[in-house]
Structures are given as C-alpha cells and as structure tokens.
Amino acid sequence: MTAHPLIDEKALPILAVERGAPAPTPRASRVRRAFRALRVVPLIWLIFATGAFVGLYFQPPGLQVAMEFLGLQPGGGARDPIAVAAARPARLEAVAPEPRQVVALGRLLPQNDVVVVAPPYGAGDARVAALLVKEGDTVSRGDGLAVLDNEGQLRAALEAARATVGVRDAALAQTRATVTASRDEARASLARAQSAAQAAEREFERAEELRRRGIVADAVYDQRRAARDQALREVEAARATLSRFERVDADAQPDVLVAARNLDSARAELARAERDLDRAAIRAPADGTVLTVHVRPGEKPGAKGVMNLGDLSRMTAELEVYQTQIGQVAIGDPVTVTGDALPKPLAGTVTRIGLEVGRQSVTDASPAANTDARVVKVQVRLDPASSQIARRFTNLQVSGRISVGSTP
C-alpha cells in the first residue's frame, strides 16, 4: 500500500489491536459505566442517613439556627431533642393498688325479707269477709289483718263450749255438796246407831239379871240379846259409811273426782273453741308494713297468700355473686348499689355470705345474658341514708359493685 501524498503518517495515532480478542461494542461500554455509577448510590445514602441522625439527635448549632430561622421545632413540636435521656427519679414511692371490684346482680329487700301472710291452719274453704288494713299501713305483731267468713260458725261453737263449762262447773259444785251432806248424814247415822246400841245393851243386861232371878223367860232373854246384836251391827255399818267420807278429803271423793274431770274436759273444749275462733282471723306474724294485698273481700286466698309484709325500717340488698368470684368477697367489704330507678347510688357493707351454691334467679335484660349461672347469695346491709331511699323499691333489680381486697 502506498502512502497518500497529502497525509503525514508520523502524525497519525497508532492503534494497537490485540490479536485474538474482539473489540468492545458500544452497548457493553454503557453497561459497565452504569454499573460503576450504581456502586456509588449506597455510599450516598449512608452519608445522607448519617447527616440526618446527627441533625436530629445532636442538632449542631448551624442546624438549630436554620430551624429557628424557618420557625421549626425540634422533635415534631417538642421542646427538647428526641434523643434526650429521661431523668430517673431519685426514689419511687409505693403506690397502693386500686381495689378490685366484683359486679353482681341482685334485688332490694327488707332486712328480714318479704313475709307472705297465709290463711291460718284449718281455714279450709273460708273466704275473706273483710280486710282490716290496706297497702302502706304499718302493723305490729298480732294485729288483725283480715276476717274470714267462718267467724260466725266458730263463734257459735265457742259459746256452746262456754255453756258446757258452766254446766260441768255446776255439777261439780253439786257433787261436792252431796258428798258433804252424805258425810254429815253418815255421822248422824253413826250417832243414832250408837244410841240404839247402848239402849239395846241395857235392855239385854236387865233381861239377863231377871233371868238369873227366874222372873224372865228364856224367850224374852233371847229377844233382848238379838236386839243388842242388831244394834251393834248397825253401829259398825254406820261407822263404815262414815269412814268412806272421812278417810280422804272431800275433793278426793270419787264422785267429786268424776265431776272435776268432766269440768276439765269441758274447759279443754272451750280452749279448743277459742283457738278455732283464731282461724277466722288473719293476724300479723311480725312487725312491718303492708306491701301488697293479694285478695279482696269475697275471694278465697290462693298460692300467693293474703298479703305481703316487710320491715322497711332497715333495707338490704341481696346480690348473686358468681361461684368463680365468691372467694374474693369477705364480710365487711364496701358495696355500691345502683339501679335505674334509684335517684343516686346506695352504699352498704357485706354482712352475710351464703353457704350454698344455687341457680341464678336475677338475670340481665340482654338476650345474650347467661340464665343458668351458678351463684352464691350475698347479703348487703345498707347504711341509714341509703335505707331510707331504698324502702320505696322493694324487689327492685339492682347492680352491686363489691370492692374486694379493701378490708384487712
């Protein structure tokens, strides 16, 4: 090949070509350059993160001036930097734990519960003739509450028993008088018999003397001796009759005893008639207030009884605590009682814990409420102020919160 006459061969660059290896393409060169650039990205992110960490946690003076100029607050509005260590208190004071609470449903009741007044025993088919009280009346033990329609029949039986007692009493007096008269008569008979025996004895002695003289026949003598013996026997009979009255006191005489026992029987019948008359009257079994009257005149008392009584002078709350929580409740625990109808919460203390686990009788109105829970009844005595409020709400469903663990 001949050189071009216008080109200086010494001024041209020398191109070295490696034998056996292909020349790199433009695409491969671009890939290598991109790969080299990507290796710098992590380093850039590391530098940025380090600056952010230093700026947020240490806040150099320059950054603080810039944030103050821009109106920014460090830490998203906090006065102190984010990484400021919290000051540890010198000493931690012991704080008493808040008392736990056991919540239970229940009802308000008088102190001695509600008393159901039933008809007296043996009233049978008797109906109410008259009511002597009305709802809200305060009664004492033994006061009459109602009168049944069997009063007339029972009162007639009582009058008959009283008349029988009068008859038997008169018979006893008559028997005593008879015994006294018989005793006096026996004494008189004995005296008369003794007089007759003495006369017969004298006649016999005279006849015996005349017989020895031969003046009186044997027949007369025998007659006088028989008369004497008969008089002596009459004396013994009169003495035996008198001894029957004098051996024991007049009230111990058989006739008097029989009459006295008849009188006792009549008196027993009178006492039974008086008790039977009580079956015509319904009386208060205890002091209290008439809460509800279940019958009206002319009606026969049913299963609900005649009326309900309750001592409203001191009210209580009967709570049903779940068996799983009853172990936490103790006598003396304070209780707060609330209800929809109560003007304010009531206060009281636990006074009695039941000894038997039973089925829940007070349930929540929610359809999902458990209606077959096992509970223990807890008696809560309300304080005087709360008792005055609760006396108008007997059997009101309430909710009680027992503060357990507060008593030593």
Side-chain angles (χ1 to χ4, degrees):
M1 183 177 59
T2 60
H4 196 281
L6 299 178
I7 299 175
D8 187 3
E9 292 181 359
K10 295 180 180 181
L12 293 176
I14 299 175
L15 179 63
V17 179
E18 185 179 355
R19 297 293 183 175
T25 62
R27 179 180 179 85
S29 299
R30 290 195 300 269
V31 171
R32 291 191 184 97
R33 288 194 300 268
F35 180 73
R36 294 191 190 100
L38 289 176
R39 288 187 297 180
V40 183
V41 173
L43 181 59
I44 297 174
W45 282 105
L46 179 60
I47 296 173
F48 179 78
T50 303
F53 177 80
V54 173
L56 291 177
Y57 282 85
F58 296 98
Q59 295 185 4
L63 181 59
Q64 295 181 8
V65 172
M67 295 183 68
E68 184 178 358
F69 178 76
L70 297 175
L72 300 177
Q73 296 293 333
R79 294 182 179 179
D80 298 325
I82 295 177
V84 173
R88 179 174 298 178
R91 182 172 60 88
L92 295 178
E93 297 182 356
V95 179
E98 295 184 359
R100 294 164 295 151
Q101 290 186 341
V102 173
V103 181
L105 293 177
R107 59 174 65 89
L108 296 179
L109 294 173
Q111 183 174 7
N112 297 323
D113 209 337
V114 176
V115 179
V116 178
V117 181
Y121 175 77
D125 294 332
R127 290 166 173 76
V128 176
L131 288 172
L132 305 181
V133 295
K134 61 182 181 299
E135 294 181 359
D137 289 349
T138 301
V139 297
S140 300
R141 182 184 180 90
D143 290 348
L145 304 178
V147 178
L148 301 179
D149 60 358
N150 59 353
E151 182 186 17
Q153 179 183 358
L154 297 177
R155 191 172 294 280
L158 176 61
E159 295 299 329
R162 287 175 178 171
T164 302
V165 169
V167 171
R168 299 290 173 82
D169 192 13
L172 176 60
Q174 182 181 10
T175 302
R176 284 174 176 167
T178 301
V179 169
T180 301
S182 298
R183 182 188 59 190
D184 295 341
E185 184 180 356
R187 289 174 179 175
S189 297
L190 176 61
R192 185 171 56 250
Q194 288 176 344
S195 298
Q198 291 176 358
E201 182 66 24
R202 287 192 297 270
E203 291 292 334
F204 173 72
E205 290 175 354
R206 186 180 302 111
E208 186 177 17
E209 180 65 25
L210 294 175
R211 182 188 175 201
R212 282 196 304 268
R213 296 178 182 180
I215 300 175
V216 176
D218 292 339
V220 176
Y221 172 77
D222 293 337
Q223 184 180 5
R224 296 290 184 275
R225 185 175 62 181
R228 185 201 64 178
D229 294 340
Q230 180 64 30
L232 293 177
R233 285 192 292 272
E234 290 180 357
V235 171
E236 294 297 330
R239 184 175 288 112
T241 301
L242 180 60
S243 65
R244 183 170 68 90
F245 296 103
E246 292 183 342
R247 186 180 300 118
V248 294
D249 188 69
D251 289 340
Q253 294 296 323
D255 294 343
V256 177
L257 290 177
V258 171
R261 298 292 82 79
N262 290 335
L263 178 59
D264 293 341
S265 177
R267 287 173 176 171
E269 291 293 332
L270 175 60
R272 186 176 69 176
E274 290 175 346
R275 291 193 300 270
D276 290 344
L277 183 61
D278 290 339
R279 294 185 301 180
I282 300 175
R283 302 186 181 278
D287 299 344
T289 302
V290 179
L291 303 178
T292 307
V293 178
H294 299 297
V295 294
R296 294 293 181 268
E299 296 179 348
K300 178 181 176 181
K304 294 183 178 180
V306 180
M307 60 186 65
N308 291 349
L309 290 181
D311 185 6
L312 302 182
S313 61
R314 200 59 184 265
M315 297 294 293
T316 62
E318 184 183 75
L319 303 180
E320 296 181 348
V321 179
Y322 289 123
Q323 61 180 356
T324 57
Q325 298 177 323
I326 192 61
Q328 307 176 31
V329 181
I331 301 295
D333 285 344
V335 183
T336 301
V337 179
T338 58
D340 295 338
L342 298 176
K344 65 177 183 178
L346 309 180
T349 55
V350 176
T351 56
R352 186 175 64 85
I353 300 176
L355 303 177
E356 184 180 4
V357 178
R359 185 176 179 179
Q360 184 179 13
S361 61
V362 182
T363 58
D364 192 77
S366 173
N370 186 4
T371 60
D372 194 24
R374 310 299 292 177
V375 296
V376 176
K377 292 184 178 180
V378 173
Q379 198 79 16
V380 177
R381 185 175 183 178
L382 302 178
D383 59 28
S386 299
S387 181
Q388 290 297 321
I389 297 175
R391 62 180 303 173
R392 297 177 48 247
F393 303 100
T394 298
N395 281 327
L396 176 69
Q397 180 173 329
V398 295
S399 176
R401 297 181 178 272
I402 307 174
S403 298
V404 299
S406 58
T407 56

